[in-house]
Amino acid sequence: MAGSDEPLDPTNNSAPDLQILGDEITLQPGGYLEPEKGVNEGKDEALMNQFASFRSEPLQFLREVSLYVSGQGWRAYDNIIGQPVFYPGYSQNMISMVMAAPLLQKRISQLAEKRVVVEEEEGLLNKNDTDYVTKRAQRRVALENSLQEVAEKLTNDMICKMESKTFIRGAYYLTTQLLTRAYHQGIHVSSEEVLHLRKVADLAAKKKQSIVFLPSHRSHVDYVSLQLICYRLGLTLPIVVAGDNLNFPLVGSFLQNAGAMWIRRSFGDDALYSTLVQSYIDTLLQQGYNFECFIEGGRSRTGKLLPPKFGILSFVLDSILSGRVEDTIICPVSTQYDKVIETEGYVTELLGVPKKKENLADFLSGGSSVLSLKLGRVDVRFHEPWSLRKFIDDQLTKIPNVPSGLDTDHRNPAVRAVREKILRMLGYKVLGDINHVSVVMPTALIGTVLLTLRGRGVGKQELIRRVEWLTTRVRAKGGRVAHPGNAPLSEIVDRGLEVLGKDLVGVIDGLAEPTYYAVDRFQLSFYRNMTIHLFIYEALVSAAMYTRVKRGGGPSMQVIEYEELKSTVFFLSSLFRGEFIFGSAGLDANLDKTLKGLEADRIVQLTKDEKGNVVQVGLSDEERRAGRENYDFYCFLIWPFIEASWLAAVSLMGLSPPLGAGDVWIEQSKAQNSAQLLGKTLYHQGDLSYFEAVNKETLKNSYTRFEEDQMVHVVKSKEAKIPPRMQLDPAWRPARDPGTGALLAEGKLWDFTEKIANCRREGKNRRDGATVSSRVLRLTDELGRKLFEEAEESAKAGKQKVPNRLSREEEETLHKTVGAARRRRKMRGKPNL
């Protein structure tokens, strides 16, 4: 990799950024730490020529294309770091290795034997025949041969096919042309990080170890940008795990030849397919091929990291635990954007519009429509890579009694509990590492400021002032802020506003000063959510304090006792445990650190006893004189999520069966759609302050939390056509009026809902609690009754595609699931497990 010949400024403690824009790599000064005053950071240095335009320079354009086709210099992709790829016969070699895997062959033998036993029981094989043993052996061989053919066909469809260097050279040129037209400021990486990554890759290649890249996932551009970086740096391209929904004509073949492996979105009970996936991953890791999968599963539609998905990660873990693979290197990756191409589509999905199936027509029309956009830059950051084997060993040392059979006995509850614990720790460590290296983009700063102001709009100078304050706070929290070279902050804000566009941020001219305002708050929340992970503790403390601040009165009336504050913060952190990533230091340590930070920032005032223990917390005099703008900032960050949790809890009230309804189960998707409809109604009637609260993903996260806490039970059928069904646990069902059947504002669930409501933003239409509770309960009850009526009517008409009652087998499974969930909760509560 080329580097600058000029020495870096020794006074700057930030490594320079590299801007990759087509063939051009530019060395840039500190990309995320503010240099000392008076330090000259130097100029950007272009190390390679940029792509020529066919219209303006046709001959130069054709020359550059020929350089890629013929493979001149680094474009040849010959002297790569890692295992050899892109050669004729690669695919066949991979199929042969996968098919020869002992794990797969053992599974095929087991499945064949299992089928022979079934045929014996059904009388298809007669044990009294004189040649029974021969027939049985022949039948088993026939079944094994058939399964071998099926396995080979599935393998061929699944694996990536890195066959041609000519193809990958052309693919690199094409995708770089397309990507840098949309993201006109190119791809930015840290020179320090990529130089270190090359050293790690070189060492891993010598040990024949794989690097498993685990990037954040906000856009389809994520895997494209990482492939381009690896190609340009001369690293073996990672095999990328991709859902087979993207395997449509032309595009699917292109991606598969560029490094994509296709897997089903759901494996079901297909033992052969799951073993095949495990064997393929084993083979890749054994041979030292780089690998890439998305820790969040799908793309984040909300802008912040999603909870980890453990599907593919569990296969990687099993490769190490079983000893089939000695070790592999984990490399968390953060990918940030000035503007994400798909955000407009995300908004429609979050508002309940079903996701469209990917197809070639939409791909071509969507691709052509973004080529003329100027979406700013892509920022890719690599965390320090680490050994998965060492991580697992460290986790096992923390468990006092490691059960035997950890690598094989998956049916043992104790073994499953330990494996789940390691998986969870692994998943959340990766997410924490991604957050640690993430760069906050200027658009995220602007979006955050606009959505955390009390007023309708903000003047230019005030916007710049608040962006500067937020930038300082991000850095103080250990975060990184993208900084385009030596550009002044006013210019950076202008660039950010230009990239966001008038559809997201509007400006009113003709006033005393131009005033900027959020046009599409829902879509803008995507960018605000890119910063919230840095301030989640401050936000929770501020929301807990708000239970007293909203009462008004003098300062002494708004002080909260420390124990009450701690209890409320604990409740909120538990409420959002699937929504945000919390530090592993524990509540006490994190709370004390947060309070000290808020005190140092002169936002809160701490009252301590003679032993130095905090006993009361209140707003500082300085913060009051400043109009509570910094305290309000933290509240505005968390309030939309509190609203969403409150909405989800209120919607559960409607799942209480009407009088005489019986033991009815409701489709989970219909219940969540009903909750979203309730939220939209409450928002337009003034009982919900934030329209973002009705977004589908946040409501789903709340329902998942309710399921984990046994507030609701969810049953998943073995039949793929029957969707999950849910029911409110009897202990959480609110009472009904015996005469009218109306829901009553009392009981365990109502108290839980009110506890959330205490932290909500106060609004004019919500101050009369009795009126609000009766109105909200009536709407909830009406929507809930419709769900029960639809389920009953479908059953009576005989048109019921989804049973509203459980079968005996499903009841037994539910009983086991509830028991297992309770045991898991107890085990998670133990300090060492």
Side-chain angles (χ1 to χ4, degrees):
M1 190 177 104
S4 174
D5 293 332
E6 295 182 10
L8 299 179
D9 191 334
T11 61
N12 187 3
N13 60 355
S14 167
D17 278 4
L18 292 179
Q19 178 189 27
I20 303 174
L21 186 59
D23 269 10
E24 180 182 276
I25 295 186
T26 304
L27 183 66
Q28 295 196 321
Y32 49 82
L33 290 177
E34 196 162 22
E36 296 177 17
K37 293 182 178 179
V39 173
N40 181 14
E41 292 189 305
K43 297 180 180 179
D44 293 353
E45 182 180 354
L47 303 179
M48 295 186 182
N49 295 324
Q50 195 172 9
F51 282 139
S53 167
F54 178 74
R55 291 182 180 179
S56 60
E57 301 174 277
L59 294 179
Q60 178 66 13
F61 173 84
L62 293 173
R63 177 181 174 276
E64 289 179 355
V65 172
S66 69
L67 289 176
Y68 278 90
V69 174
S70 60
Q72 295 295 314
W74 61 267
R75 302 171 189 81
Y77 198 61
D78 285 332
N79 300 317
I80 59 172
I81 300 175
Q83 304 309 310
V85 289
F86 294 106
Y87 60 86
Y90 168 88
S91 302
Q92 192 54 52
N93 288 345
M94 185 60 66
I95 291 173
S96 299
M97 286 189 288
V98 173
M99 292 301 299
L103 185 69
L104 178 60
Q105 291 303 316
K106 182 180 178 181
R107 175 64 72 185
I108 287 174
S109 296
Q110 289 174 342
L111 292 174
E113 175 63 26
K114 189 176 181 180
R115 179 58 194 171
V116 168
V117 171
V118 170
E119 291 183 1
E120 285 177 337
E121 293 174 350
E122 293 177 349
L124 298 175
L125 285 173
N126 190 350
K127 294 182 179 180
N128 297 323
D129 286 349
T130 54
D131 56 349
Y132 161 72
V133 175
T134 303
K135 286 183 176 179
R136 190 184 195 281
Q138 290 174 342
R139 178 56 180 159
R140 175 167 173 163
V141 169
L143 287 169
E144 287 182 355
N145 289 337
S146 178
L147 287 170
Q148 293 279 3
E149 291 177 5
V150 172
E152 189 166 351
K153 171 67 166 59
L154 291 172
T155 303
N156 184 62
D157 293 341
M158 175 173 57
I159 67 168
C160 74
K161 300 180 178 180
M162 297 176 168
E163 294 278 339
S164 169
K165 280 191 179 175
T166 302
F167 168 83
I168 199 62
R169 292 167 190 158
Y172 177 88
Y173 179 80
L174 175 64
T175 52
T176 305
Q177 281 276 30
L178 296 175
L179 183 65
T180 54
R181 287 195 184 190
Y183 289 97
H184 63 294
Q185 294 174 15
I187 301 172
H188 288 238
V189 294
S190 163
S191 60
E192 183 180 40
E193 290 172 2
V194 295
L195 285 171
H196 182 62
L197 178 61
R198 280 173 59 90
K199 291 180 182 178
V200 172
D202 187 45
L203 183 61
K206 291 175 181 175
K207 295 181 178 180
K208 208 175 182 180
Q209 290 179 349
S210 304
I211 298 178
V212 177
F213 294 98
L214 297 175
S216 56
H217 199 16
R218 291 187 174 92
S219 169
H220 284 311
V221 177
D222 295 334
Y223 40 81
V224 177
S225 59
L226 185 55
Q227 294 287 86
L228 294 179
I229 290 170
C230 288
Y231 187 98
R232 188 62 186 84
L233 297 177
L235 305 181
T236 295
L237 297 189
I239 285 85
V240 185
V241 179
D244 57 7
N245 58 305
L246 292 175
N247 189 12
F248 49 88
L250 296 183
V251 173
S253 177
F254 178 89
L255 294 176
Q256 193 171 23
N257 282 275
M261 62 167 282
W262 303 119
I263 61 167
R264 300 172 185 170
R265 304 295 285 182
S266 175
F267 293 5
D269 294 326
D270 193 333
L272 177 62
Y273 188 77
S274 60
T275 304
L276 194 59
V277 173
Q278 181 69 70
S279 299
Y280 183 33
I281 292 175
D282 282 352
T283 301
L284 293 174
L285 301 184
Q286 287 164 356
Q287 299 301 317
Y289 288 103
N290 293 340
F291 188 66
E292 176 186 346
C293 68
F294 295 101
I295 186 71
E296 302 163 90
R299 289 169 293 162
S300 170
R301 269 72 172 168
T302 61
K304 64 180 184 58
L305 290 179
L306 300 176
K309 297 293 189 296
F310 303 116
I312 296 298
L313 214 56
S314 68
F315 288 110
V316 176
L317 179 68
D318 196 69
S319 296
I320 303 295
L321 282 176
S322 65
R324 295 190 297 271
V325 176
E326 178 60 31
D327 196 7
T328 192
I329 306 301
I330 301 295
C331 183
V333 183
S334 167
T335 308
Q336 301 290 340
Y337 301 85
D338 270 330
K339 192 172 186 180
V340 174
I341 293 175
E342 300 100 323
T343 47
E344 191 172 337
Y346 290 166
V347 169
T348 59
E349 288 181 36
L350 292 174
L351 289 176
V353 177
K355 177 186 174 183
K356 288 182 65 177
K357 186 177 180 180
E358 283 81 0
N359 58 76
L360 183 59
D362 286 347
F363 176 83
L364 293 175
S365 61
S368 61
S369 65
V370 302
L371 293 183
S372 60
L373 300 178
K374 292 187 181 296
L375 302 176
R377 72 189 236 188
V378 182
D379 226 295
V380 182
R381 303 288 156 153
F382 298 89
H383 191 273
E384 169 74 30
W386 41 271
S387 162
L388 180 56
R389 167 66 66 184
K390 184 177 184 304
F391 171 82
I392 293 172
D393 291 344
D394 289 344
Q395 295 302 312
L396 291 176
T397 58
K398 299 175 184 178
I399 301 173
N401 297 307
V402 178
S404 59
L406 192 62
D407 57 338
T408 56
D409 191 6
H410 295 183
R411 294 185 179 182
N412 184 340
V415 169
R416 285 206 306 270
V418 171
R419 289 172 62 89
E420 287 177 10
K421 176 67 175 177
I422 295 174
L423 263 179
R424 285 181 62 84
M425 294 299 293
L426 174 59
Y428 280 101
K429 172 175 170 52
V430 171
L431 292 182
D433 288 350
I434 291 172
N435 271 339
H436 181 70
V437 296
S438 292
V439 173
V440 179
M441 309 300 283
T443 49
L445 296 171
I446 293 169
T448 302
V449 168
L450 289 174
L451 294 184
T452 53
L453 295 171
R454 283 195 175 274
R456 294 189 183 93
V458 61
K460 182 67 170 292
Q461 292 306 312
E462 179 65 9
L463 176 61
I464 292 173
R465 185 183 74 84
R466 291 303 292 173
V467 167
E468 185 175 21
W469 175 85
L470 180 55
T471 299
T472 303
R473 295 307 311 139
V474 168
R475 288 170 176 153
K477 293 289 291 182
R480 307 175 175 191
V481 179
H483 193 291
N486 295 314
L489 185 58
S490 58
E491 185 178 328
I492 295 171
V493 171
D494 286 337
R495 290 181 189 178
L497 290 171
E498 181 183 359
V499 169
L500 288 171
K502 295 181 179 179
D503 291 338
L504 269 68
V505 180
V507 58
I508 303 174
D509 295 315
L511 303 178
E513 64 175 340
T515 300
Y516 296 86
Y517 65 99
V519 175
D520 188 339
R521 299 182 69 89
F522 201 109
Q523 191 173 163
L524 208 57
S525 68
F526 183 93
Y527 300 94
R528 175 204 61 203
N529 290 344
M530 292 180 179
T531 65
I532 191 171
H533 66 277
L534 293 165
F535 307 110
I536 185 59
Y537 293 111
E538 288 83 356
L540 294 181
V541 168
S542 298
M545 291 176 62
Y546 186 70
T547 59
R548 293 304 181 96
V549 171
K550 69 179 181 180
R551 295 181 182 182
S556 60
M557 296 290 292
Q558 299 178 18
V559 170
I560 186 171
E561 298 294 323
Y562 175 79
E563 289 302 323
E564 182 183 348
L565 174 75
K566 180 179 175 180
S567 174
T568 306
V569 170
F570 176 77
F571 171 74
L572 291 174
S573 61
S574 175
L575 191 69
F576 296 127
R577 65 173 179 262
E579 196 74 54
F580 303 106
I581 301 162
F582 297 100
S584 58
L587 175 64
D588 290 336
N590 288 326
L591 180 57
D592 288 345
K593 181 179 179 181
T594 302
L595 289 176
K596 288 177 182 177
L598 290 172
E599 183 184 37
D601 294 338
R602 299 180 181 180
I603 295 175
V604 303
Q605 180 176 321
L606 306 180
T607 303
K608 301 180 180 179
D609 60 17
E610 62 278 2
K611 295 181 180 179
N613 299 317
V614 178
V615 292
Q616 289 183 331
V617 182
L619 289 175
S620 68
D621 293 337
E622 291 95 330
E623 184 63 17
R624 291 181 185 280
R625 286 194 294 270
R628 281 178 19 193
E629 65 174 1
N630 298 332
Y631 168 78
D632 285 349
F633 167 82
Y634 295 125
C635 288
F636 276 108
L637 279 180
I638 197 66
W639 271 335
F641 295 94
I642 292 175
E643 290 261 271
S645 294
W646 175 83
L647 171 62
V650 167
S651 71
L652 289 189
M653 302 283 288
L655 296 183
S656 180
L659 297 177
D663 189 31
V664 177
W665 288 74
I666 305 296
E667 282 186 52
Q668 186 180 38
S669 60
K670 288 187 175 180
Q672 291 175 354
N673 290 341
S674 179
Q676 195 167 41
L677 180 60
L678 172 66
K680 291 176 182 178
T681 306
L682 294 178
Y683 173 79
H684 288 292
Q685 292 184 0
D687 293 312
L688 203 65
S689 297
Y690 298 95
F691 197 54
E692 307 101 283
V694 307
N695 94 66
K696 203 171 184 178
E697 288 298 324
T698 307
L699 287 173
K700 276 186 178 181
N701 287 341
S702 294
Y703 270 69
T704 299
R705 189 262 191 196
F706 299 153
E707 182 185 356
E708 289 174 352
D709 288 348
Q710 303 290 293
M711 296 168 66
V712 296
H713 303 296
V714 178
V715 171
K716 297 177 181 178
S717 175
K718 289 184 177 180
E719 297 183 33
K721 294 182 178 180
I722 299 179
R725 290 156 290 164
M726 66 184 299
Q727 188 182 76
L728 187 61
D729 186 88
W732 287 87
R733 293 175 188 174
R736 290 186 177 273
D737 187 295
T740 63
L743 285 173
L744 300 177
E746 59 185 45
K748 194 175 180 180
L749 181 55
W750 179 254
D751 292 341
F752 175 78
T753 305
E754 284 292 275
K755 195 170 183 180
I756 301 174
N758 285 337
C759 299
R760 293 175 68 205
R761 182 184 180 187
E762 192 65 83
K764 294 180 180 179
N765 295 339
R766 292 202 301 275
R767 288 178 181 168
D768 185 353
T771 303
V772 172
S773 63
S774 62
R775 181 169 62 248
V776 170
L777 278 179
R778 176 182 58 79
L779 285 171
T780 305
D781 198 9
E782 287 179 4
L783 291 172
R785 286 177 185 273
K786 287 181 181 179
L787 292 174
F788 283 96
E789 289 171 2
E790 288 175 5
E792 293 286 12
E793 288 174 4
S794 297
K796 290 178 182 178
K799 300 178 181 179
Q800 192 177 28
K801 296 180 180 179
V802 181
N804 62 12
R805 301 291 198 276
L806 298 187
S807 65
R808 180 172 296 180
E809 182 182 2
E810 287 173 334
E811 287 180 350
E812 292 175 356
T813 302
L814 174 66
H815 180 73
K816 292 178 181 178
T817 302
V818 171
R822 287 172 180 167
R823 287 193 296 273
R824 279 197 301 271
R825 289 184 65 191
K826 287 182 180 179
M827 297 183 83
R828 284 177 188 170
K830 295 179 181 179
N832 293 323
L833 188 61

Short mmCIF file of all heavy atoms in Angstrom, two decimals, residues 434-453:
data_model
loop_
_atom_site.label_atom_id
_atom_site.label_comp_id
_atom_site.label_asym_id
_atom_site.label_seq_id
_atom_site.Cartn_x
_atom_site.Cartn_y
_atom_site.Cartn_z
N ILE A 434 -17.60 -2.32 17.82
CA ILE A 434 -18.03 -1.52 16.67
C ILE A 434 -18.34 -0.10 17.10
O ILE A 434 -17.92 0.88 16.47
CB ILE A 434 -19.26 -2.17 15.99
CG1 ILE A 434 -18.86 -3.48 15.30
CG2 ILE A 434 -19.90 -1.21 14.97
CD1 ILE A 434 -20.03 -4.27 14.76
N ASN A 435 -19.09 0.04 18.20
CA ASN A 435 -19.39 1.38 18.71
C ASN A 435 -18.12 2.13 19.08
O ASN A 435 -18.03 3.35 18.90
CB ASN A 435 -20.31 1.27 19.93
CG ASN A 435 -21.78 1.27 19.56
OD1 ASN A 435 -22.16 1.70 18.47
ND2 ASN A 435 -22.62 0.78 20.45
N HIS A 436 -17.15 1.41 19.59
CA HIS A 436 -15.91 2.05 20.06
C HIS A 436 -15.15 2.72 18.92
O HIS A 436 -14.52 3.77 19.13
CB HIS A 436 -15.01 1.01 20.74
CG HIS A 436 -13.73 1.56 21.28
ND1 HIS A 436 -13.69 2.39 22.38
CD2 HIS A 436 -12.45 1.42 20.87
CE1 HIS A 436 -12.44 2.74 22.62
NE2 HIS A 436 -11.67 2.16 21.71
N VAL A 437 -15.18 2.13 17.73
CA VAL A 437 -14.42 2.70 16.62
C VAL A 437 -15.29 3.50 15.65
O VAL A 437 -14.79 4.06 14.68
CB VAL A 437 -13.67 1.60 15.82
CG1 VAL A 437 -12.65 0.93 16.70
CG2 VAL A 437 -14.64 0.57 15.23
N SER A 438 -16.60 3.57 15.92
CA SER A 438 -17.49 4.28 15.01
C SER A 438 -17.18 5.76 14.96
O SER A 438 -16.81 6.37 15.97
CB SER A 438 -18.96 4.09 15.43
OG SER A 438 -19.37 2.76 15.24
N VAL A 439 -17.33 6.33 13.79
CA VAL A 439 -17.12 7.76 13.57
C VAL A 439 -18.47 8.44 13.42
O VAL A 439 -19.34 7.96 12.68
CB VAL A 439 -16.27 8.00 12.31
CG1 VAL A 439 -16.18 9.47 11.98
CG2 VAL A 439 -14.87 7.41 12.49
N VAL A 440 -18.69 9.52 14.15
CA VAL A 440 -19.93 10.29 14.04
C VAL A 440 -19.80 11.24 12.86
O VAL A 440 -18.88 12.08 12.82
CB VAL A 440 -20.23 11.06 15.34
CG1 VAL A 440 -21.51 11.87 15.18
CG2 VAL A 440 -20.36 10.09 16.51
N MET A 441 -20.71 11.12 11.92
CA MET A 441 -20.64 11.93 10.70
C MET A 441 -21.30 13.30 10.92
O MET A 441 -22.14 13.46 11.82
CB MET A 441 -21.34 11.20 9.55
CG MET A 441 -20.88 9.76 9.36
SD MET A 441 -19.11 9.62 9.02
CE MET A 441 -19.09 10.11 7.29
N PRO A 442 -20.93 14.31 10.13
CA PRO A 442 -21.55 15.64 10.27
C PRO A 442 -23.07 15.60 10.16
O PRO A 442 -23.76 16.34 10.86
CB PRO A 442 -20.92 16.43 9.11
CG PRO A 442 -19.62 15.77 8.85
CD PRO A 442 -19.85 14.31 9.12
N THR A 443 -23.60 14.75 9.28
CA THR A 443 -25.07 14.65 9.14
C THR A 443 -25.71 14.14 10.42
O THR A 443 -26.81 14.56 10.77
CB THR A 443 -25.42 13.73 7.97
OG1 THR A 443 -24.67 12.51 8.09
CG2 THR A 443 -25.11 14.37 6.63
N ALA A 444 -25.01 13.23 11.11
CA ALA A 444 -25.55 12.71 12.38
C ALA A 444 -25.54 13.81 13.44
O ALA A 444 -26.48 13.91 14.25
CB ALA A 444 -24.72 11.52 12.84
N LEU A 445 -24.50 14.64 13.44
CA LEU A 445 -24.45 15.77 14.39
C LEU A 445 -25.60 16.73 14.15
O LEU A 445 -26.29 17.16 15.09
CB LEU A 445 -23.11 16.50 14.26
CG LEU A 445 -21.84 15.71 14.62
CD1 LEU A 445 -20.61 16.51 14.22
CD2 LEU A 445 -21.82 15.39 16.11
N ILE A 446 -25.83 17.06 12.88
CA ILE A 446 -26.89 18.02 12.54
C ILE A 446 -28.25 17.43 12.87
O ILE A 446 -29.12 18.11 13.47
CB ILE A 446 -26.81 18.39 11.04
CG1 ILE A 446 -25.53 19.17 10.76
CG2 ILE A 446 -28.02 19.20 10.62
CD1 ILE A 446 -25.23 19.34 9.28
N GLY A 447 -28.48 16.17 12.49
CA GLY A 447 -29.76 15.53 12.78
C GLY A 447 -30.04 15.46 14.27
O GLY A 447 -31.17 15.69 14.72
N THR A 448 -29.01 15.14 15.04
CA THR A 448 -29.16 15.05 16.49
C THR A 448 -29.53 16.41 17.08
O THR A 448 -30.43 16.50 17.93
CB THR A 448 -27.87 14.52 17.14
OG1 THR A 448 -27.55 13.24 16.58
CG2 THR A 448 -28.03 14.40 18.64
N VAL A 449 -28.85 17.45 16.65
CA VAL A 449 -29.13 18.79 17.18
C VAL A 449 -30.55 19.22 16.85
O VAL A 449 -31.30 19.70 17.71
CB VAL A 449 -28.11 19.81 16.62
CG1 VAL A 449 -28.57 21.24 16.91
CG2 VAL A 449 -26.73 19.57 17.23
N LEU A 450 -30.97 19.02 15.60
CA LEU A 450 -32.31 19.47 15.18
C LEU A 450 -33.42 18.74 15.93
O LEU A 450 -34.50 19.30 16.15
CB LEU A 450 -32.48 19.28 13.68
CG LEU A 450 -31.67 20.23 12.79
CD1 LEU A 450 -31.83 19.85 11.33
CD2 LEU A 450 -32.13 21.68 13.00
N LEU A 451 -33.18 17.48 16.31
CA LEU A 451 -34.22 16.70 16.99
C LEU A 451 -34.14 16.80 18.50
O LEU A 451 -34.93 16.16 19.20
CB LEU A 451 -34.14 15.23 16.56
CG LEU A 451 -34.47 14.94 15.10
CD1 LEU A 451 -34.44 13.44 14.84
CD2 LEU A 451 -35.83 15.51 14.71
N THR A 452 -33.20 17.57 19.02
CA THR A 452 -33.10 17.72 20.48
C THR A 452 -33.25 19.18 20.90
O THR A 452 -32.76 19.58 21.97
CB THR A 452 -31.75 17.17 20.99
OG1 THR A 452 -30.68 17.77 20.26
CG2 THR A 452 -31.69 15.66 20.83
N LEU A 453 -33.91 19.98 20.08
CA LEU A 453 -34.21 21.37 20.40
C LEU A 453 -35.67 21.50 20.78
O LEU A 453 -36.54 20.81 20.23
CB LEU A 453 -33.91 22.27 19.20
CG LEU A 453 -32.44 22.37 18.76
CD1 LEU A 453 -32.36 23.11 17.44
CD2 LEU A 453 -31.60 23.07 19.82
#
